[in-house]
Amino acid sequence: MGGKIKAMDKKIALIRGDGIGPEIVAQAKKVLDGVAGLYNHKFSYDDVDMGGIAIDKWQDPLPEEMLKKCLESDSVLLGAVGGNKWNSMPGDKRPERGLLRLRAGMGVYSNNRPAKIWPQLASASPLRPSIVEKGIDFIIVRELIGGIYFGAHRTEEEYGQKKATDILSYTESEIERIGRIGFETARKRRKKLCSVEKSNVLDSSRLWKAVMHRLAPEYPDVELSDMLVDNCAMQIVKDPSQFDVIVTENMFGDILSDEASMITGSIGMIPSSSLGSTSCGLYEPIHGSAPDIAGMDIANPIGTILSAAMMLRFSFDMPAEADCIERAVSDVLDMGCRTADIMPADPDEAAKCRKVGCSQMGELILENLRKD
C-alpha cells in the first residue's frame, strides 16, 4: 500500500548520558540502523556529552559546543542523565540542569508522554484487572520550559534560618501555545481534552484555566473538561479509561506522567517526545538513569527504542518506519521475551516467558523488523 518511500539522510545527536543511558541508547541506535537498511535511509550520528559525564569531562552539565551539536542536528535521542555521584553538586551544576538547558536551548515546550498498556503486559499493571480491561490509552501533554522549574530560585537567611523560594509563573502566550498542542492532539485522537490545574489555590492555575476556555471555541469538535491536579492523580488510578488527552503545566505534568507510566506495567516501556516550533525534537524514555543496575545488561531498552520510533514519526515524517519498530516490539512481546522489570510476578505466568537482557532485547527487536 502507498507509494515508494523516499530515501532520506538524517543527522541524529545521541546523548548517551549516565547510568544505563549508554546501554539503552546503543540498542535504539542498533534498531535505527536496521530501519535505515530496510527502507534505504541514511542515519548519521553525532555523540553529545550531557549530564554527569559532561561534568566529569568539562565541569559543565551541558557545554555550549555540545548544545550547538544538538541544534545543528535533525533530531536528538537521549538516554538518561544523573546519579548519586553528582548529588552533592550545586544546583546549577547538577546533571539535570543540563537537561533543562537543553530543553530551553532547543525551544521544545511540549512534552508528549503516552500512557498505553500493551496487551501482552496487562497482568503487569498494579491496577485491578477490572480497571485495566476498560482500557488505558491516553497522552499527557506537559508544558516543558516554563513554570516553577524555570522560575527564579533563591535560598537566603531570614530571621536566623534559611528560607528557600521557587517562583511559579506563566504568561498567557505560554499557556496558549501548549493549550493548542493539547487541542490539536485531542483532535487527532478521541477528541477529549482534560485541562489539569490547581485553580482553587493558585493564580497561575486560574490564568491557565481562563486561557484554555478562551481557546475552546476554536476547537468545537473537542470536548474540554477541567480537573484539579489532586483529583486527577486519584482518577488516573481509579479509572484511567476516562482520559484521552491531558494538558497541564510543567511540575504537575512531571508528576502525573510518572504516575501514569506505572499503571501501564513498567516505566521502562514509556517513550516521550519534546517538540517546539521546529521539526528538531528531543526524544527520550521517561525513566531515570538507574545507576544501581548500570553495566549489568538488565535494563529495559524498549522505552528508548519506542522513543526512536516517535522520532521517526514526528520529526522525520516516517510513519511506516515508526510502525515497523512498534510492530517488532509487539512481536517480541508476543514471543514471551521480557526484561527483568516486565517479567510477570505470578510464577505460572513467568514460566511462559523468557527473561532476556538489555542487549538481547535490542537484538530480538532488530531481528523482527519487517515492512508491512
Side-chain angles (χ1 to χ4, degrees), residues 8-13 32 43 70 73-77 106 108 110 112 188 272-284 306-319 321-322:
M8 300 182 75
D9 189 342
K10 295 293 185 180
K11 183 178 180 181
I12 302 169
L32 281 170
F43 298 146
C70 293
S73 69
D74 293 305
S75 201
V76 181
L77 182 64
M106 291 182 67
V108 288
S110 173
N112 309 307
K188 295 174 184 177
S272 75
S273 65
S274 300
L275 304 171
S277 56
T278 70
S279 62
C280 182
L282 172 62
Y283 297 86
E284 58 181 308
L306 291 174
S307 296
M310 291 186 79
M311 179 178 68
L312 297 180
R313 189 181 303 281
F314 295 115
S315 283
F316 297 168
D317 193 24
M318 298 180 179
E321 292 85 337

Side-chain angles (χ1 to χ4, degrees), residues 338-358:
R338 305 283 188 271
T339 48
D341 61 309
I342 54 175
M343 279 292 289
D346 180 82
D348 293 334
E349 290 295 318
K352 302 173 186 176
C353 297
R354 175 162 65 104
K355 184 184 288 188
V356 300
C358 180

Side-chain angles (χ1 to χ4, degrees), residues 31-73:
V31 172
L32 281 170
D33 287 339
V35 168
L38 198 59
Y39 288 87
N40 197 33
H41 299 307
K42 181 181 178 182
F43 298 146
S44 58
Y45 305 94
D46 203 353
D47 279 298
V48 172
D49 293 328
M50 189 184 81
I53 186 174
I55 292 171
D56 290 347
K57 289 176 68 174
W58 314 101
Q59 292 75 56
D60 187 333
L62 182 64
E64 281 300 317
E65 58 267 34
M66 295 296 162
L67 174 59
K68 186 171 183 286
K69 283 186 177 185
C70 293
L71 297 177
E72 291 174 348
S73 69

Side-chain angles (χ1 to χ4, degrees), residues 140-202:
I140 295 178
V141 176
R142 166 191 171 193
E143 198 289 321
L144 199 59
I145 58 174
I148 200 166
Y149 291 173
F150 286 84
H153 309 280
R154 67 177 183 271
T155 301
E156 56 196 330
E157 292 283 339
E158 186 175 278
Y159 304 116
Q161 61 180 336
K162 286 186 176 180
K163 174 186 175 182
T165 304
D166 302 288
I167 304 298
L168 166 58
S169 66
Y170 272 107
T171 64
E172 290 179 293
S173 59
E174 287 175 319
I175 300 168
E176 180 174 332
R177 69 182 182 181
I178 192 66
R180 291 190 183 281
I181 295 291
F183 276 108
E184 290 163 8
T185 302
R187 179 172 272 176
K188 295 174 184 177
R189 289 172 50 90
R190 301 191 302 275
K191 297 180 172 57
K192 291 174 60 179
L193 179 63
C194 181
S195 174
V196 172
E197 25 73 5
K198 190 66 176 170
S199 56
N200 59 337
V201 176
L202 302 176

